[in-house]
Amino acid sequence: MRLRLLFIFLFISLFASAQYSFSGYINKDEWQNSVYLSIVEDYRKMSGVYAEQIIAKTSADSTGFFEFKGNMLDAENRIYRIHVDKCSDMQKDINHFNGHCSESEELLFIANNTDTIKLPFSFGNQVFCSVESSNPKSNAFVKIDSLKNDMRFAYSEVRTEANRKLNNKKWFKALQAYGEALNEPIAELAIFAYLSDRSSDLHSYYVEDLQNSTYYDNLETRLEETYPNAPYTVQYKNELAADRYMLASFNGTLSNSNWNILLYFLLAISVLLNLFLFLKTWKQKQSKTEDLKSKLSKQEQVVLEHLLEDKTNKDIAEALFLSVSTVKTHINNIYKKLEVQSRDDAKSLFAK
């Protein structure tokens, strides 16, 4: 009997451990009560707030504490973002939709479905400056941001064209080497996105380096070995191929007609890539939605559909010929099985 109980305890412990927990504190006097968790599958959209990336929403309690937890994330490392903002409820949809909120604070981190991450207050009650995690890769983006701050300071010491050029060359290589030393290819992509950005002063060094360096092929190999099925890998390979095609065309003789063909080709690649990422994200969301609904009984699924249509308990009871108390019982069971606290939380799981 004792052996059986021990086996059951160990089984439950193993099952319970396969869950993520991302928690922290916000200053409620400074930020809105809502906290958002997003998954970033496009490394060109690491900075900003995008509605299509948001996968969960929670509310901080009276002390400012918040937590996201569950077991629905990828088993592999992925890039996630937690953010808060000062937008009013009327502004939120607009700001989250267009990828910008002028008064927001965010943190990028790497995690998987089994990680525990804590974001305590740092000096002066600043949020999202410190990361305590069971995953040693989690704070890679914090380290990269720290290095970028060092770079900005170096540029500001002497504001001359000569100093800027010297710093461009130095920091291009320094950032690239630092990303490789992190031994986490999806963190390297943050640096690649920064160095290859056409609006960056460092882009000319990227164009030159792309023709002479093996770094980019090595990064592709690291991504394929570590994340063969991740959207980041597909995106990187397509972008690299497009940039090299453009360079090859520029190095040869490019007539006006060939230039138009090149532009159409790159446009087609961009459209196909965006379509691929959209369909992949949509399929993943559909799969997760079906997994969530499978936890519910048939009756609870019907009640959930009415709940998602913003119907009141009374409206649901009349539509399904049930008592209001029975509807309340079903809704409470739905909350427990979906691990949410409110109607808004439930609707956020199935948001289109």
Side-chain angles (χ1 to χ4, degrees), residues 73-80 111-113 225-230:
L73 303 187
D74 286 293
E76 287 185 339
N77 281 346
R78 291 290 185 267
I79 302 171
Y80 296 94
N112 58 56
N113 195 47
E225 289 176 348
T226 312
Y227 302 104
N229 301 314

Side-chain angles (χ1 to χ4, degrees), residues 186-200:
I186 59 175
E188 278 187 79
L189 289 175
I191 293 177
F192 168 77
Y194 178 69
L195 298 179
S196 61
D197 186 351
R198 288 176 172 79
S199 64
S200 169

Side-chain angles (χ1 to χ4, degrees), residues 5-34:
L5 290 174
L6 179 60
F7 174 78
I8 293 173
F9 175 78
L10 290 173
F11 177 79
I12 293 174
S13 298
L14 287 171
F15 180 78
S17 65
Q19 294 189 14
Y20 67 90
S21 172
F22 308 152
S23 62
Y25 287 87
I26 63 169
N27 187 336
K28 296 188 69 176
D29 295 331
E30 183 176 2
W31 302 102
Q32 291 285 334
N33 196 46
S34 297

